[in-house]
Amino acid sequence: CCGVLPERARLLRSKHISPDGMVASPLLLLLPSSLLLLSSCSSCPPLLFASSSSRLLGSKLPISFSKSASSPLTARTRALFTVASPRRRPPPSSLSAMVASSSPSPSTLIPSSPATDMVQVLSSFPARTYRPPWWARQAHVNTIVGALFATPPTPSYERERWTTPDGDFVDIDFLRSELPASRGIVLLYHGLESNSLAPLTVRQARSLSMAGFDVAAIGFRGCSGEDNLTPGGYHLGFTDDVHFIAKRLHEQRPDRKIFVTGTSLGGNVMIKFLAELGDRASEIGVVGGAVSCVPMNAIDCQVKLDEDAFNCKVYSGNFLKSLKPKAERQATRFPGLFDIEKIRACKTIGEFDHNFIAPIYGFSSKEDYYLKCGSKAFLSRVRVPLLIINAIDDPFIEPSTLPTAEDIGEGTVRVQYTEHGGHCGYLEGLKSLSVDFRALFYKIFRGLRIQANAHAPAGWMPTELTRFLLHLDGEKLKEEEEEETQARKGKLFALFANVWKALTGRRRKE
C-alpha cells in the first residue's frame, strides 16, 4: 500500500500502513504533495489517496479499486470518481482500472452498480476541468461574488400551482425548451432559502432550456413568495413534493423522459429522491440526474458552517434573516408546535434546525435530522446515472466527509471533485459577471429576493450539469466528436503508413 504523511512532510513511504494511517517502513521517495499516489503492494487491497489540495491531503480521502481478478471488489461493476486539478495532468498509468478521458482530470474506476450500460454512460462522460480566474481562487470570493454579481436575464417562466396530497400547494415555474423538439423535462430544485428567480437557479434553467430541455423549477414550500398552508416548509430530506410532481408529470406524458438537478440543499433532496425510487425510477420515467455543491454529510457540514466565525456571521446569518421571520409567522398560525423564544435566540443554522425543523418533522434532535436526511447514506441506493460535482474548497463542506467508494457501494454515481469553485460559485472570469443593483440592494440590506435582470451567462457549473444530462440523452458532446475525429485521423494515417511501408519494402526487394 501507499500512504501520505502530514502535508509538511510530503513523504511517500512503502509497504504497510499502521493503524493510525501513517506509514511505518523506510523512506523511498520525496514527492510533491499534489501528486496522485497509487499503491502497488500485491498483498493488500490498493488505496488511492487523491490530493488536489492540502486540505484534502490532510483528510487522506481513500478511493479503493481492485486490480486482481480474485479481489471481491471485482464482483461489482464500477462508477467513477474524478479528482480534477486545473494545473496538473494525470500521471500515466497502464492499469486497466484507469479510464482514458478527454479531460485532463484523472478518473478512477470504483465498485458500483451491476448495470453495465449505466456504468458505461458514467465512465464515458468527458468531464471538463474547472479553471478559476486568478482573483477567484479564494473560496469565499468565488462563493460571494458568484452569488451577488452573476445575474442572468429574466426568464419567461409560466407558473402553475398544484395542490399537494396533504392539502398544501407547491408552485412550479415552467420554462419551455428553446429547441423545436424537447428532449424531456428537468426537475430543478434550488438551495436553502433561495427560489426559482435566484440568479443561479435562472442560469441553470436557461442553460437547460437552450440545450433543448423543458424545465420545471420547483419552489420549496414557503420560498415561492407566499407562506404555505401546513406547518414547517421543507428540509434536507423533504422529498414529498418531488415524488408527487414526478408522478403527475409522468401520468400526463408517459413517453417523456424526466431528469433531475439541483444545488446545495436542493441537490441533497434530489439524491435522496433518486435513492428512494431505486429500481422503480423507470416506472415514472426518471432516467438520471446531475447535482452540485451538495452537503452530503450534514452533521459535519453544519459544524463547519456554524463554528467557523466568518461562515457563521456571513452565511448562517444571511439564511437566518429569512428563516426567523417565517418561523414567527408560523408560531402565530400554529401555536405550540415549537418554542418561538428559542427560535428568536438562534444564532446558527444548527440551533434553528434543532428548535424548528426537528420538532415539526418528528426528529429527536438536529443530529437525528442530519443523520436521517444527509444524502451520503443514500448514494448506494441510486439506480440511475447520477453526476455529483463538489468543490474541495467549498466553505460549507468539510472535505474529509466527501464520499468514498464504500459510501457509494452499488450506486450508479459519478463524483467529480474540483480543486476550486467555492459554494455554487464556479466563476470563469469577468465575463461571468453582470449585476442588477436594485435586486442586489434588496438582497443584502432587506434580505429579500426580487426578480433581477442582467446579462450573466450560464457559467461553468450549470453548463457542466447540462452537458451531463445531454450525455444521458445520447447527445454527442463536442469533446466526444473531437475524440472520434482524432481517432479517424489516426486510423487513416496508420493506413497510409502501412501502404507506404509495403510499397517501399517492395521496391527494396526489387
Side-chain angles (χ1 to χ4, degrees):
C1 303
C2 72
V4 184
L5 290 176
E7 59 178 299
R8 292 182 183 176
R10 297 183 178 180
L11 302 177
L12 172 66
R13 297 171 180 256
S14 80
K15 199 54 187 169
H16 292 288
I17 303 177
S18 61
D20 62 353
M22 298 296 102
V23 182
S25 50
L27 172 67
L28 289 183
L29 295 171
L30 180 63
L31 293 176
S33 64
S34 59
L35 281 179
L36 221 61
L37 305 176
L38 184 64
S39 69
S40 58
C41 175
S42 59
S43 61
C44 302
L47 290 174
L48 177 66
F49 289 85
S51 76
S52 53
S53 77
S54 60
R55 296 176 68 185
L56 181 59
L57 176 67
S59 68
K60 298 190 288 296
L61 174 70
I63 303 175
S64 304
F65 67 95
S66 174
K67 293 184 292 182
S68 63
S70 60
S71 170
L73 295 181
T74 56
R76 307 173 185 173
T77 49
R78 306 163 188 267
L80 273 172
F81 259 82
T82 306
V83 182
S85 173
R87 294 169 297 176
R88 295 178 284 274
R89 296 189 64 84
S93 173
S94 59
L95 295 177
S96 59
M98 300 299 287
V99 173
S101 172
S102 60
S103 164
S105 309
S107 300
T108 306
L109 291 173
I110 62 171
S112 186
S113 166
T116 306
D117 54 340
M118 293 187 187
V119 174
Q120 176 60 31
V121 168
L122 291 167
S123 62
S124 61
F125 173 63
R128 299 181 302 159
T129 298
Y130 170 64
R131 294 180 174 85
W134 63 268
W135 49 268
R137 295 178 67 82
Q138 209 282 337
H140 294 301
V141 172
N142 212 329
T143 301
I144 296 171
V145 174
L148 299 180
F149 302 102
T151 305
T154 303
S156 53
Y157 284 141
E158 299 173 12
R159 174 162 292 190
E160 294 184 16
R161 175 166 291 185
W162 292 3
T163 301
T164 58
D166 63 349
D168 209 326
F169 66 87
V170 58
D171 288 329
I172 309 169
D173 288 322
F174 289 95
L175 186 63
R176 303 303 173 188
S177 165
E178 294 187 11
L179 300 183
S182 172
R183 300 176 181 276
I185 190 165
V186 181
L187 308 186
L188 167 60
Y189 251 150
H190 56 78
L192 178 64
E193 287 305 281
S194 184
N195 57 44
S196 61
L197 293 175
L200 175 59
T201 312
V202 175
R203 288 191 281 119
Q204 288 179 277
R206 284 177 53 83
S207 174
L208 292 163
S209 175
M210 289 188 291
F213 294 98
D214 292 326
V215 181
I218 310 168
F220 280 119
R221 297 188 185 188
C223 293
S224 58
E226 182 179 339
D227 287 339
N228 280 74
L229 307 178
T230 54
Y234 66 100
H235 59 77
L236 276 165
F238 187 75
T239 57
D240 296 18
D241 287 349
V242 68
H243 276 287
F244 163 65
I245 293 168
K247 183 178 179 181
R248 181 165 167 177
L249 287 171
H250 180 65
E251 290 172 350
Q252 290 175 354
R253 284 186 53 185
D255 61 328
R256 177 169 54 185
K257 296 178 182 178
I258 298 176
F259 305 83
V260 302
T261 188
T263 52
S264 195
L265 183 145
N268 192 89
V269 172
M270 287 306 194
I271 294 174
K272 186 170 179 282
F273 165 66
L274 294 179
E276 289 170 350
L277 287 178
D279 294 322
R280 297 180 294 105
S282 60
E283 295 177 7
I284 59 171
V286 175
V287 297
V291 297
S292 183
C293 304
V294 184
M296 289 174 276
N297 187 324
I299 289 182
D300 291 312
C301 293
Q302 178 264 316
V303 171
K304 184 168 183 178
L305 193 61
D306 289 346
E307 294 189 358
D308 181 278
F310 182 87
N311 288 355
C312 185
K313 181 70 174 177
V314 176
Y315 302 125
S316 295
N318 181 59
F319 292 135
L320 290 172
K321 282 181 183 178
S322 57
L323 287 170
K324 283 186 174 183
K326 287 182 180 180
E328 290 277 1
R329 295 193 295 271
Q330 293 217 1
T332 303
R333 296 167 57 203
F334 311 106
L337 285 180
F338 54 89
D339 189 338
I340 189 59
E341 292 302 324
K342 291 182 178 179
I343 298 297
R344 290 168 182 161
C346 288
K347 302 294 183 184
T348 67
I349 293 296
E351 291 174 356
F352 183 87
D353 288 341
H354 186 77
N355 293 295
F356 182 78
I357 297 294
I360 286 181
Y361 289 98
F363 300 106
S364 61
S365 64
K366 65 179 182 182
E367 290 81 10
D368 181 48
Y369 160 49
Y370 296 147
L371 280 173
K372 290 179 178 177
C373 295
S375 59
K376 188 174 182 179
F378 292 90
L379 294 173
S380 62
R381 292 161 53 185
V382 175
R383 292 295 180 270
V384 291
L386 173 65
L387 174 69
I388 303 174
I389 300 175
N390 268 40
I392 294 168
D393 70 349
D394 190 322
F396 289 24
I397 298 171
E398 175 56 46
S400 62
T401 68
L402 293 171
T404 65
E406 289 73 20
D407 297 316
I408 291 181
E410 298 291 334
T412 50
V413 178
R414 173 170 174 166
V415 178
Q416 180 181 346
Y417 296 140
T418 59
E419 185 174 3
H420 300 285
H423 188 74
C424 301
Y426 287 101
L427 296 172
E428 294 184 283
L430 295 179
K431 64 180 181 181
S432 300
L433 307 182
S434 185
V435 187
D436 183 323
F437 288 100
R438 177 173 172 269
L440 183 62
F441 173 84
Y442 273 87
K443 184 175 182 178
I444 295 176
F445 297 104
R446 301 187 63 179
L448 299 175
R449 293 182 182 271
I450 65 171
Q451 187 164 321
N453 185 29
H455 306 286
W460 187 89
M461 185 259 287
T463 301
E464 191 72 354
L465 299 180
T466 300
R467 290 178 68 252
F468 184 75
L469 297 187
L470 284 171
H471 180 69
L472 284 187
D473 192 47
E475 180 76 7
K476 284 190 176 181
L477 304 178
K478 180 181 177 182
E479 292 83 356
E480 293 174 302
E481 291 176 350
E482 290 177 351
E483 190 174 309
E484 289 184 1
T485 301
Q486 292 298 324
R488 285 195 296 269
K489 288 180 179 178
K491 289 180 180 179
L492 189 61
F493 178 80
L495 176 62
F496 278 117
N498 290 334
V499 171
W500 177 257
K501 188 182 295 184
L503 290 175
T504 54
R506 184 175 179 179
R507 287 174 183 173
R508 288 196 192 99
K509 288 180 181 178
E510 291 175 352

